[in-house]
Amino acid sequence: MLDRLIDLLSQTRTLRALLDFCTIVVRLLPALVVIVALIPSFVVFAFISAGARRSVLDIVDRLTNWTLARY
């Protein structure tokens, strides 16, 4: 009886560890997708002309001012 109880508790720990691992993977997966999607834009940004780069930075600045209100 005690052996069965210990076996059930060890399975519970294993299942809990597996559930924790799956939860971490599900939370990290969208962040990894975004990072992989943004890598080409960072590479291209280094090779575009100064005028286009200034335009992109202007757009980013406007979006920052629009989304992050300054008090």
Side-chain angles (χ1 to χ4, degrees), residues 10-66:
S10 68
Q11 288 176 0
T12 305
R13 273 192 227 126
T14 305
L15 290 174
R16 187 175 297 142
L18 182 64
L19 183 64
D20 289 343
F21 177 75
C22 290
T23 303
I24 290 169
V25 168
V26 166
R27 288 181 181 177
L28 288 179
L29 196 60
L32 291 175
V33 168
V34 169
I35 290 171
V36 169
L38 289 177
I39 287 173
S41 64
F42 288 121
V43 171
V44 169
F45 188 76
F47 294 104
I48 61 176
S49 66
R53 189 178 305 146
R54 195 167 32 251
S55 175
V56 169
L57 290 175
D58 186 41
I59 292 170
V60 170
D61 190 39
R62 287 182 185 181
L63 285 173
T64 304
N65 290 334
W66 182 59

